[in-house]
Amino acid sequence: MTLPPLVQSRQLGRWRIHAIQAGSQRLDGGAMFGVVPKPLWERRIAADDRNRIELGMRCLLVEHESGLVLIDTGAGNKENDKFHDIYGVENAGTQGDTALEDGLRALGVAPADIGLVIDTHLHFDHAGGNTRRDRDGKIVPTFPNARHVVQRGEYAYATHTNERTAGSYFAHNFVPIHEAGLFDLVEGEREIVAGIRVVPTPGHTPHHQSVLLDGGGERACYFADLVPTSAHLPLPWIMGYDVEPLVTLETKRRVLRQAVDERWLAVFEHDATVPWGMVKADGKGYGLEPVA
Ligand SMILES: [Zn+2]
């Protein structure tokens, strides 16, 4: 069962934006909250009998004047039953191969219509949908007409793994994109199309990026794994999965300050229920101000 609703839409300045729930996953609650003790985190998100919490895998589609822009691509359709059991990934589509394709279809969009894909990083739950297994078992780009943007350092990191990082990077999610010549590897902060900017937000991985959207009069930030759920707004609530948690802390301190000052709409990729909200200063840290 994926998490309803499949699509939630709103206006951001001149653009229509759509949060597409590309599936759900269940991950160890302790790992999701790092050093935060269970009695604290379980008040925010309840754990199941295997100590796992339910998470979303929300992608963002922007109706940009230059074409359709998709941020992150979910987990794709290439993994086996063991993977789906361990990570509790449920993302099968009812019509297309995946829930992401179902969501796009509900919006009248076919994968071939996407002109730009932005990968925040190349972990399997963010970039798994970059490629798909076709009916002949061949792995092909899901979005054949899209340029795919990721940080050059992230691509290098994903293709040179170690014992700690290998479990999150599956070559079939990104090497075929590279081989097809569809990647634009960028370095540092960069405006990709008018009003859509990638910003390095290191910590979860050294070259993780978030996406800043300025639709004119309204701004949003797709934080990705810098702030995976609305429960991760307090500064020390940092995932145990992060490879450089103290770097995450400093990135959060800088970026959340800016989010409050500039009234950004925060988009939460892994939140099971809250697609977006405003960030508010809350004592020494930050909290959520709900929006419609
Ligand atoms: Zn993630």
Side-chain angles (χ1 to χ4, degrees):
M1 212 356 241
T2 53
L3 295 163
L6 180 60
V7 178
Q8 286 166 286
S9 305
R10 61 170 285 149
Q11 202 70 22
L12 185 80
R14 65 184 184 277
W15 304 320
R16 198 80 190 144
I17 64 172
H18 311 275
I20 301 174
Q21 190 58 280
S24 59
Q25 59 185 152
R26 287 181 168 270
L27 295 179
D28 185 89
M32 276 306 289
F33 289 106
V35 298
V36 178
K38 185 174 181 186
L40 294 183
W41 62 252
E42 74 176 346
R43 278 190 229 152
R44 306 294 298 274
I45 306 182
D48 69 11
D49 56 4
R50 289 163 71 178
N51 208 44
R52 301 177 307 177
I53 60 172
E54 186 154 61
L55 298 163
M57 280 191 284
R58 199 173 277 107
C59 307
L60 193 72
L61 181 74
V62 182
E63 294 186 34
H64 190 270
E65 56 273 15
S66 69
L68 293 170
V69 179
L70 180 65
I71 306 174
D72 277 355
T73 62
N77 74 337
K78 304 182 298 299
E79 310 310 333
N80 60 25
D81 291 348
K82 187 177 165 201
F83 166 90
H84 283 269
D85 180 57
I86 290 173
Y87 298 106
V89 169
E90 296 189 30
N91 72 332
T94 56
Q95 298 159 34
D97 286 336
T98 58
L100 173 59
E101 286 182 42
D102 281 359
L104 291 171
R105 184 187 293 232
L107 293 163
V109 172
D113 299 337
I114 304 290
L116 174 63
V117 169
I118 299 176
D119 289 324
T120 59
H121 60 304
L122 296 173
H123 283 170
F124 63 74
D125 53 329
H126 296 257
N130 283 357
T131 58
R132 66 184 181 87
R133 198 183 297 282
D134 73 11
R135 296 206 196 293
D136 304 325
K138 198 163 164 263
I139 293 174
V140 296
T142 308
F143 307 101
N145 299 316
R147 301 303 305 167
H148 292 60
V149 171
V150 74
Q151 290 286 320
R152 183 178 296 280
E154 174 68 13
Y155 190 83
Y157 196 73
T159 48
H160 297 80
T161 55
N162 60 31
E163 295 81 356
R164 169 79 197 281
T165 62
S168 300
Y169 288 118
F170 306 156
H172 63 192
N173 291 335
F174 41 83
V175 170
I177 301 298
H178 193 63
E179 287 174 347
L182 295 177
F183 262 130
D184 286 334
L185 301 177
V186 299
E187 292 172 36
E189 183 169 340
R190 171 93 77 92
E191 186 169 56
I192 307 300
V193 289
I196 300 184
R197 175 176 291 277
V198 295
V199 181
T201 46
H204 180 64
T205 70
H207 300 275
H208 180 276
Q209 63 185 359
S210 299
V211 185
L212 269 179
L213 305 137
D214 185 346
E218 275 184 292
R219 291 184 194 183
C221 184
Y222 186 91
F223 285 113
D225 278 344
L226 179 65
V227 188
T229 77
S230 58
H232 288 83
L233 283 168
L235 291 175
W237 293 49
I238 290 170
M239 290 191 280
Y241 297 112
D242 289 16
V243 295
E244 298 174 318
L246 296 181
V247 175
T248 303
L249 176 66
E250 296 314 316
T251 304
K252 281 176 80 174
R253 194 191 307 282
R254 171 170 54 83
V255 172
L256 292 178
R257 178 76 259 160
Q258 208 181 346
V260 171
D261 289 348
E262 300 182 1
R263 299 282 300 159
W264 296 350
L265 180 76
V267 182
F268 302 109
E269 183 164 13
H270 287 306
D271 202 299
T273 55
V274 181
W276 36 48
M278 307 302 287
V279 183
K280 67 172 181 191
D282 189 2
K284 287 184 189 163
Y286 297 95
L288 180 72
E289 182 184 319
V291 296

